[in-house]
């Protein structure tokens, strides 16, 4: 089932379609300390756009620090803002999915923006420039970033591996969920309802004409980033398992290599038995068993991972639940995948 876009209701709607409509989607998880600055900066840089009608949708991903109370107040004070609160913490990628599902039929283009404003809001205006030139997807690429060296190194390694083994050839994607997508791309994104979701990978997989905008990433000024090393590993793992044939091909290659080694070892052992005196070889036997059992369990582990993902997809559970909303037509709605 596709996202229930018909539930969307623009507040204080502007008549006519002389200006394109942009919806900025922002996941929020324990960002109460950043929301006032977020509203001030986005209102200053994006709210005064003369050639685009820009609105904002804040997705509270089960915050426990009062973020939802702030979102409700923001939406009451400023009709350009609307909000959703998910029933629990589902993760940033499912929060973005909830936002995409609530894109109404009168929205022409969608952009994502982090609540901590490490990705500068004025870059969205440069996204719009590329969109007007004909790009259906515009990626934000970090030219500089004020992060720890290990984070930059790991991010670069992951991007290179994903680009080589998982994403479509020629895609201009960048890791991280800072991008702009045309309405056609959003509609394609809504059709993909798998449980293991990485937003940038799903957007990149759609194809379409793409452009890249370079920007300088700022430091976080308040709160703590939820993008930990463990989550980086998990995202990379999800992309590889969901979009790449590499694990299956590795299994096949290892299996063929193991079979070849086994055949060579068998020929050698038979030769020893035929032409020389057989000596007890406990060390060699144990080493051989250890090697092949290790390979076998590696194969079983990867196969089990695929089976588990198949199980998740066959259950067809809803991707998320909406607990409350503000500025939307349907209060307390529940969406299904």
């Amino acid at each position: 089932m596709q996202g229930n876009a018909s539930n969307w209701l623009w507040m204080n709607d502007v008549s006519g379609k002389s200006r394109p409509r942009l919806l900025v989607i922002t996941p929020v998880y324990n960002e109460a300390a950043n929301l006032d600055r977020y509203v001030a900066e986005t209102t200053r840089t994006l709210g005064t756009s003369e050639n685009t009608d820009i609105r904002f949708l804040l997705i509270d991903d089960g915050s426990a620090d009062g973020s939802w109370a702030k979102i409700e107040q923001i939406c009451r004070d400023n009709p350009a803002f609307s909000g959703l609160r998910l029933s629990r913490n589902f993760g940033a990628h499912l929060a973005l999915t909830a936002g995409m599902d609530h894109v109404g039929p009168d929205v022409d283009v969608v952009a994502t923006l982090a609540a901590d404003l490490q990705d500068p809001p004025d870059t969205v205006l440069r996204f719009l420039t590329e969109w007007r030139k004909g790009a259906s997807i515009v990626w934000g690429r970090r030219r500089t970033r004020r992060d720890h060296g290990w984070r930059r190194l790991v991010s670069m390694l992951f991007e290179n591996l994903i680009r080589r083994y998982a994403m479509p050839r020629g895609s201009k994607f960048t890791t991280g969920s800072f991008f702009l997508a045309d309405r056609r791309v959003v509609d394609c994104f809504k059709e993909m309802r798998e449980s293991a979701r990485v937003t940038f990978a799903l957007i990149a997989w759609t194809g379409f004409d793409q452009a890249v905008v370079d920007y300088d990433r700022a430091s976080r000024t308040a709160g703590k980033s939820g993008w930990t090393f463990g989550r980086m590993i998990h995202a990379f793992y999800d992309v590889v398992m969901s979009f790449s044939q590499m694990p299956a091909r590795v299994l096949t290659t290892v299996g063929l290599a193991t079979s070849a080694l086994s055949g060579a070892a068998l020929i050698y052992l038979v030769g020893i038995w035929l032409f020389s005196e057989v000596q007890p070889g406990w060390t060699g036997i144990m080493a051989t068993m250890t090697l092949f059992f290790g390979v076998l369990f590696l194969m079983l582990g990867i196969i089990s991972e695929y089976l588990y993902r198949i199980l998740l997809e066959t259950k067809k559970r809803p991707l998320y639940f909406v607990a409350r909303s503000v500025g939307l037509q349907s209060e307390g709605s529940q969406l299904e995948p």
Side-chain angles (χ1 to χ4, degrees):
M1 173 179 170
Q2 297 183 13
N4 189 0
S6 62
N7 284 344
W8 179 268
L9 176 66
W10 283 109
M11 304 299 292
N12 292 358
D13 193 16
V14 180
S15 60
K17 290 291 288 182
S18 58
R19 299 189 301 170
R21 290 189 173 178
L22 165 68
L23 177 64
V24 178
I25 300 175
T26 297
V28 176
Y29 180 63
N30 292 339
E31 296 285 1
N34 282 310
L35 284 174
D36 289 337
R37 176 170 171 261
Y38 173 90
V39 173
E41 288 296 317
T42 54
T43 301
R44 180 181 64 84
T45 57
L46 302 178
T48 58
S49 176
E50 296 181 354
N51 55 5
T52 308
D53 182 18
I54 301 179
R55 304 297 175 93
F56 304 88
L57 177 58
L58 302 173
I59 312 294
D60 182 5
D61 188 24
S63 298
D65 69 340
S67 293
W68 177 246
K70 274 189 169 291
I71 290 174
E72 287 184 307
Q73 186 61 49
I74 290 168
C75 295
R76 285 193 292 266
D77 294 342
N78 191 331
F81 287 81
S82 297
L84 285 175
R85 178 171 172 80
L86 303 187
S87 61
R88 64 171 176 85
N89 177 236
F90 287 91
H93 295 290
L94 285 174
L96 285 171
T97 298
M100 295 286 191
D101 287 342
H102 281 76
V103 174
D106 50 357
V107 176
D108 301 296
V109 62
V110 170
T112 59
L113 182 64
D116 58 18
L117 294 183
Q118 287 188 271
D119 301 326
D122 56 4
T123 306
V124 174
L125 298 177
R126 297 165 59 198
F127 287 173
L128 282 169
T129 299
E130 296 298 325
W131 175 68
R132 289 189 174 93
K133 292 178 181 178
S136 296
I137 303 171
V138 185
W139 301 100
R141 182 171 59 194
R142 300 159 186 164
R143 180 168 47 210
T144 61
R145 53 188 300 179
R146 298 176 184 178
D147 290 327
H148 295 294
W150 69 265
R151 186 182 289 270
R152 294 195 298 269
L153 179 62
V154 171
S155 180
M156 183 183 303
L157 176 62
F158 283 2
E159 181 171 343
N160 289 335
L161 290 173
I162 290 169
R163 187 177 301 279
R164 180 172 181 178
Y165 294 111
M167 291 291 95
R169 292 184 181 276
S171 176
K172 298 179 181 180
F173 83 95
T174 58
T175 55
S177 296
F178 186 35
F179 60 85
L180 175 144
D182 185 82
R183 179 53 191 260
R184 293 179 303 165
V185 179
V186 173
D187 289 341
C188 292
F189 179 87
K190 290 181 182 182
E191 294 184 21
M192 295 180 282
R193 308 306 293 182
E194 58 258 44
S195 298
R197 306 180 70 80
V198 178
T199 307
F200 76 83
L202 292 172
I203 292 292
W205 189 83
T206 64
F208 296 102
D209 295 329
Q210 303 177 30
V212 175
V213 169
D214 292 315
Y215 72 97
D216 299 311
R217 196 164 196 252
S219 301
R220 171 180 277 266
T221 59
K224 183 179 180 181
S225 175
W227 189 239
T228 62
F229 179 75
R231 292 194 175 185
M232 293 174 69
I233 295 290
H234 188 269
F236 171 75
Y237 186 73
D238 279 342
V239 172
V240 171
M241 295 300 293
S242 299
F243 292 89
S244 176
Q245 295 179 334
M246 182 179 64
R249 289 181 175 177
V250 167
L251 280 183
T252 302
T253 302
V254 171
L256 290 173
T258 304
S259 298
L261 287 173
S262 299
L266 179 61
I267 294 172
Y268 172 76
L269 292 173
V270 171
I272 292 294
W273 179 74
L274 290 174
F275 301 108
S276 65
E277 183 179 353
V278 178
Q279 299 293 329
W282 183 87
T283 301
I285 292 173
M286 293 304 297
T288 303
M289 291 180 62
T290 300
L291 169 65
F292 291 114
F293 273 111
V295 171
L296 175 62
F297 285 125
L298 171 64
M299 292 181 174
L300 290 176
I302 296 177
I303 292 172
S304 297
E305 178 65 22
Y306 279 116
L307 290 175
Y308 175 69
R309 289 171 179 258
I310 292 171
L311 174 64
L312 288 180
E313 299 303 328
T314 55
K315 287 180 178 179
K316 296 188 179 298
R317 288 176 179 167
L319 297 180
Y320 60 87
F321 293 101
V322 176
R324 300 182 65 183
S325 62
V326 56
L328 302 180
Q329 182 180 26
S330 176
E331 295 291 334
S333 61
Q334 172 179 309
L335 296 192
E336 298 177 357

